[in-house]
Amino acid sequence: AKIADNAVENEHLNANVITGHTALGAEPADTDEFLVSDAGTLKRIDYSYIKGGGGLIHLNTTVASSSSNVTFNSSILTSTYNAYKIIISGMRGSSDNNHVEVYYSFDNGSSYESSNYMFSSTGRDSDGNEVHAHTGTASKIEITANTAGYDTDEGFNAELTLFNPSQTTRHKILAFNSYFFKTNGHIQRVLGIGTNDGSSSAVNNIKIQFQSGSIAEGQFSIFGVANS
């Protein structure tokens, strides 16, 4: 038997027409297609036309617990995005009186650069003091001006932006905003910038850690900044 044109209407479709199929489980590819009604006429449309443009693309979240450090490697830091944002939430150390440090790697973590860094930061704290930290010859980028506290009701939070990590003709700039409890229990806000001027190679791995001891807890999320 043949089904006449226009004979299949909504009452003939079971719910499992959709639910009976395998779930995609990921963001659709640009060429994946959807059915839409264009003023009553069914048409297909590529996902590329309806997906959101711009904004932050979540790539990974790492929850640290008694961790020596947190790293993001070459599977995340690629040429797909021109900038990456890292959000650090509730980071707390296993010991008191430590700076938070960032290291670059040009060989995906086989080694981390331990020289040729420079950084500069400024901020204020609840003591009423203006704070500054800067150096042109360092073994890491410090994203704290004063050292951080480690009590269970304290924490370190920050937003880092790494610009053009896959570019190979310029040194890689890291901008940071840090918000944390100092060792003396007062709070501090720091705005800064850092780089490694020893090489213009692509940065394909980045490491975050305390000056000494381990990361007792903290959440680290990285996002790609959409190019368009």
Side-chain angles (χ1 to χ4, degrees), residues 61-84:
T61 292
T62 296
V63 178
S65 177
S66 300
S67 307
S68 58
N69 54 64
V70 169
T71 64
F72 296 107
N73 63 27
S74 63
S75 67
I76 296 170
L77 295 177
T78 68
S79 59
T80 302
Y81 304 103
N82 292 332
Y84 290 82

Side-chain angles (χ1 to χ4, degrees), residues 32-199:
D32 286 353
E33 296 176 329
F34 297 81
L35 279 177
V36 297
S37 175
D38 180 14
T41 301
L42 285 180
K43 294 182 180 179
R44 57 185 175 83
I45 183 172
D46 283 357
Y47 176 63
S48 61
Y49 291 107
I50 58 174
K51 70 177 183 179
L56 300 179
I57 312 301
H58 177 255
L59 303 174
N60 178 270
T61 292
T62 296
V63 178
S65 177
S66 300
S67 307
S68 58
N69 54 64
V70 169
T71 64
F72 296 107
N73 63 27
S74 63
S75 67
I76 296 170
L77 295 177
T78 68
S79 59
T80 302
Y81 304 103
N82 292 332
Y84 290 82
K85 282 192 176 291
I86 300 172
I87 306 298
I88 303 173
S89 303
M91 180 183 180
R92 190 174 61 83
S94 62
S95 58
D96 205 5
N97 198 32
N98 283 301
H99 286 289
V100 179
E101 304 172 337
V102 177
Y103 294 84
Y104 289 174
S105 174
F106 303 125
D107 56 14
N108 196 27
S110 293
S111 63
Y112 290 91
E113 296 302 297
S114 58
S115 62
N116 298 311
Y117 291 98
M118 62 175 74
F119 61 85
S120 176
S121 63
T122 186
R124 284 192 173 275
D125 57 33
S126 58
D127 297 283
N129 301 317
E130 185 171 326
V131 293
H132 303 278
H134 57 87
T135 180
T137 55
S139 59
K140 71 283 184 182
I141 298 172
E142 288 181 358
I143 59 175
T144 43
N146 295 126
T147 54
Y150 85 120
D151 289 345
T152 54
D153 59 352
E154 298 177 334
F156 175 89
N157 308 276
E159 178 183 332
L160 318 179
T161 305
L162 179 63
F163 296 95
N164 296 302
S166 296
Q167 205 271 345
T168 58
T169 59
R170 293 185 294 273
H171 304 306
K172 311 307 179 292
I173 296 272
L174 179 77
F176 56 88
N177 285 284
S178 304
Y179 315 90
F180 60 99
F181 283 86
K182 300 194 303 178
T183 299
N184 67 359
H186 282 266
I187 55 174
Q188 186 172 100
R189 184 268 301 163
V190 174
L191 170 67
I193 185 174
T195 191
N196 184 293
D197 67 345
S199 172

